[in-house]
Amino acid sequence: MKIPTTKIIRIILLMALATAALAVTIPVFLTDRFTIRGGSMLPTLHDGQHVFVNKLLMGARIYTKYDFSDPVMESFRMPGLKNVRPGDIVIFNYPYPDSTGKIHFRINYVYAKRCIGRSGDTVGIRNGYYYNSSLPATVIGAERYQRWLSRRPDSVLKADTVLRFEAAVLPDGTVWTIKDYGPLYIPGAGDTIRLTENNIFLYGRLIEYETGDMPDADSVSCHTFRSNYCFLAGDNVLNSMDSRYIGMIPEDYIVGIVCGI
C-alpha cells in the first residue's frame, strides 16, 4: 500500500520536532556534558576529559531571565533527589569571572571542583588534609595528593607551589595556609552570624552578594544569610584556584553533580 506523500511529510516533521525537543530537554532537565580544562582536579579528572552532570540529583536549574549579560542570575531549581554532599564533584559557575572582586554570574564560565563542605558544616585543613565536622574520620578528596602536601616542608611549599602557600591573612594577623586552614563555618539560609573584623573578611563578599553592599563591622552587627553556600576545592591541592583562596561559592551557582566517574 502506498503511503501518501503528505503523511510521510507529516511523519518527518513530527520526528524532527521530537528530536529538537529532546535536544533541548535532555541538557536542560536531565544531563549535560562538560570538558575538563587544566589540571586542578588531578588525579581524578584530566585535562580534556569529558564528564556528565546528572541534573536530576540536585534538580535542574531553570533560568527565569535570559539576559545573560546581566551579572545577576535569576533562576529556580527543580525538585531534586538530594543536596550536594561532601565528596561530590560538581560543575559550577565560577563566581569571579573578571576583576571586579564581586560575586557575579557568567553563563559559560564553569569550573569543576569537589565539595569539601556545605551549609552547616565547619571545614578546614589540618597538616595538609581536608576535614569536615560532619565527617570527622573521612579524608575528602585525593588522599595521595594531600599526603604529598602534608609531607612537604613549608620552605619547599613557599618556593615551589604553583599557587600561593598563604591562602588567607586575617585582619588580626592570623595566617591560614594550604596546610593549616580554618576552622571555617559555612553559612546557610536562615543562619545569623554576629560580625567581627575577622569574619567580615571571610563572609563580606557573600553578604555583598546578598545585599549589594559590603558590610562594615562598625555599622552592621550581624547578618542573616539568605542563601546556601559550599566550600569547593580541587583534588590537586598544590595547583587549584578554589575556595581556599576565593571563599565560599553560592549553592545556586552549582550546575549539577558529576556522575559516572
Side-chain angles (χ1 to χ4, degrees):
M1 182 179 73
K2 185 177 180 180
I3 301 175
T5 302
T6 54
K7 188 172 183 178
I8 294 174
I9 293 172
R10 192 182 308 118
I11 291 171
I12 292 173
L13 287 174
L14 287 172
M15 291 178 65
L17 287 171
T19 301
L22 285 173
V24 173
T25 301
I26 289 174
V28 171
F29 292 98
L30 301 178
T31 185
D32 204 356
R33 188 179 80 160
F34 295 86
T35 302
I36 301 302
R37 300 299 182 196
S40 71
M41 280 302 293
L42 289 171
T44 312
L45 300 176
H46 301 264
D47 185 36
Q49 181 176 347
H50 299 297
V51 296
F52 287 89
V53 162
N54 183 337
K55 295 189 176 181
L56 293 175
L57 294 178
M58 289 185 69
R61 191 179 63 184
I62 308 300
Y63 299 113
T64 57
K65 180 182 67 178
Y66 291 92
D67 177 8
F68 296 122
S69 64
D70 189 328
V72 178
M73 178 185 68
E74 294 182 9
S75 67
F76 68 93
R77 202 177 287 277
M78 297 288 287
L81 301 176
K82 69 166 193 171
N83 292 320
V84 63
R85 299 171 182 168
D88 289 337
I89 296 175
V90 300
I91 299 294
F92 67 102
N93 296 95
Y94 188 74
Y96 301 102
D98 57 30
S99 59
T100 63
K102 296 183 178 181
I103 295 175
H104 67 271
F105 178 75
R106 184 180 293 176
I107 186 168
N108 291 320
Y109 201 86
V110 293
Y111 277 30
K113 303 291 181 187
R114 190 181 297 278
C115 177
I116 305 301
R118 65 179 305 271
S119 296
D121 294 336
T122 296
V123 300
I125 306 170
R126 292 173 179 158
N127 193 28
Y129 292 88
Y130 287 113
Y131 71 85
N132 181 311
S133 61
S134 300
L135 302 165
T138 302
V139 175
I140 304 170
E143 182 173 5
R144 176 162 55 99
Y145 277 48
Q146 291 176 50
R147 189 184 310 120
W148 289 352
L149 175 59
S150 176
R151 293 177 177 177
R152 289 194 184 191
D154 290 357
S155 58
V156 173
L157 288 168
K158 289 178 180 179
D160 295 345
T161 49
V162 177
L163 294 176
R164 301 181 299 274
F165 175 63
E166 293 182 352
V169 181
L170 276 58
D172 68 358
T174 300
V175 178
W176 289 359
T177 73
I178 58 173
K179 285 181 72 173
D180 182 15
Y181 186 103
L184 174 66
Y185 177 75
I186 306 173
D191 283 348
T192 298
I193 291 180
R194 184 167 298 280
L195 298 178
T196 65
E197 185 180 23
N198 267 8
N199 65 23
I200 276 186
F201 176 81
L202 299 170
Y203 299 126
R205 284 179 171 180
L206 309 185
I207 297 171
E208 182 184 37
Y209 165 69
E210 294 188 352
T211 67
D213 296 311
M214 184 65 75
D216 182 342
D218 293 332
S219 57
V220 181
S221 61
C222 62
H223 177 75
T224 299
F225 286 88
R226 306 169 188 174
S227 301
N228 293 326
Y229 296 91
C230 291
F231 190 98
L232 306 178
D235 284 355
N236 185 354
V237 292
L238 294 178
N239 187 14
S240 173
M241 180 57 69
D242 51 40
S243 287
R244 295 173 297 173
Y245 304 102
I246 65 170
M248 292 158 279
I249 313 297
E251 194 173 279
D252 289 343
Y253 274 41
I254 295 178
V255 178
I257 298 170
V258 174
C259 60
I261 299 174

